[in-house]
Amino acid sequence: MLNNMVQLGTNSHAGRLSDAELANLLREHYAFVFHYLLKVTMDRSVAEDMTQETMIRAIEKIDRYDGSSKFSTWLITIGTRLFLDAVRRKKRETAILKEEGRMSAFQWETMYRGAEWTELMACLEKMEREERMPLVLKHYYGYTYEEIGEMMALPVGTVKSRIHNSIRKIREEWGDDDAIRPRNRG
């Protein structure tokens, strides 16, 4: 896992640490990091997991510890970044699940009202809003690229690009060879 000796930065009073010394140092700070993460997460099992992950990261990245701050501060920084990454990841996952649920409800409502849920609607459902909006405004409602650009506060070139890419995605989804085959512009 580690070499027999670990070199810490020149500012460090510890200098070189053996594997055993590093293990002792991590053991000494384990409770401190755990109690910090417990207060931050308010969940014992999450705090335990994150503390373990913090210790693993510290072992993996020990060469980056330069001694310019206390070792405990360095560990807290690692734990904090792991926590913030987890929060961001959970936020994205929640947003995706919420969007999927909303779209499923929309599909059910559409079919319940007697309207057909077409293959095109299924393709539109999979697109991001930024892709879907210009396409719908252009091809369902007939707005010009300039009008769509004004509505969405986008340059006309961006609107054209998004519409083009959305159409390409739909064609690829449907297995349309024209979407896959490069065009000969000669």
Side-chain angles (χ1 to χ4, degrees), residues 101-112 117 121 125:
R102 189 184 65 72
M103 293 308 287
S104 293
F106 177 64
Q107 180 180 355
W108 181 85
E109 180 185 337
T110 300
M111 292 172 20
Y112 176 77
W117 187 258
M121 290 294 285
E125 174 186 31

Side-chain angles (χ1 to χ4, degrees), residues 154-173:
L154 293 172
V156 173
T158 302
V159 172
K160 289 179 179 180
S161 174
R162 287 186 183 177
I163 291 171
H164 172 78
N165 290 335
S166 297
I167 292 170
R168 192 188 80 248
K169 282 183 180 183
I170 291 170
R171 287 181 175 162
E172 286 173 0
E173 181 84 17

Side-chain angles (χ1 to χ4, degrees), residues 12-178:
S12 173
H13 66 290
R16 293 179 155 252
L17 290 177
S18 68
D19 288 353
E21 290 170 326
L22 178 58
N24 284 334
L25 194 55
L26 292 174
R27 200 174 301 114
E28 287 173 21
H29 290 86
Y30 189 91
F32 176 74
V33 173
F34 170 73
H35 285 103
Y36 163 73
L37 289 169
L38 183 61
K39 289 178 185 92
V40 170
T41 64
M42 301 302 283
D43 185 318
R44 184 172 216 62
S45 69
V46 171
E48 288 169 352
D49 290 346
M50 290 193 129
T51 303
Q52 288 291 322
E53 184 64 28
T54 299
M55 297 301 153
I56 291 168
R57 287 281 170 88
I59 292 168
E60 293 172 347
K61 308 289 184 185
I62 191 65
D63 59 321
R64 292 190 182 172
Y65 177 66
D66 64 6
S68 62
S69 64
K70 293 186 336 186
F71 190 70
S72 59
T73 303
W74 185 65
L75 290 173
I76 291 298
T77 301
I78 294 170
T80 299
R81 289 181 180 160
L82 287 169
F83 173 72
L84 293 174
D85 288 346
V87 167
R88 286 185 205 106
R89 189 170 38 257
K90 184 170 177 113
K91 197 176 197 179
R92 279 192 304 270
E93 290 168 359
T94 301
I96 288 168
L97 290 173
K98 187 176 179 181
E99 182 70 12
E100 286 175 356
R102 189 184 65 72
M103 293 308 287
S104 293
F106 177 64
Q107 180 180 355
W108 181 85
E109 180 185 337
T110 300
M111 292 172 20
Y112 176 77
R113 293 178 184 251
E116 184 179 349
W117 187 258
T118 65
E119 199 175 341
L120 179 58
M121 290 294 285
C123 287
L124 289 174
E125 174 186 31
K126 293 176 188 173
M127 290 181 186
E128 297 291 325
R129 281 193 179 108
E130 295 80 23
E131 299 171 311
R132 186 172 50 236
M133 287 175 64
L135 180 68
V136 169
L137 288 169
K138 177 69 177 161
H139 291 287
Y140 274 89
Y141 295 97
Y143 288 103
T144 66
Y145 295 116
E146 292 77 15
E147 291 170 326
I148 297 168
E150 281 183 40
M151 287 180 216
M152 296 183 69
L154 293 172
V156 173
T158 302
V159 172
K160 289 179 179 180
S161 174
R162 287 186 183 177
I163 291 171
H164 172 78
N165 290 335
S166 297
I167 292 170
R168 192 188 80 248
K169 282 183 180 183
I170 291 170
R171 287 181 175 162
E172 286 173 0
E173 181 84 17
W174 288 350
D176 186 342
D177 289 339
D178 288 337

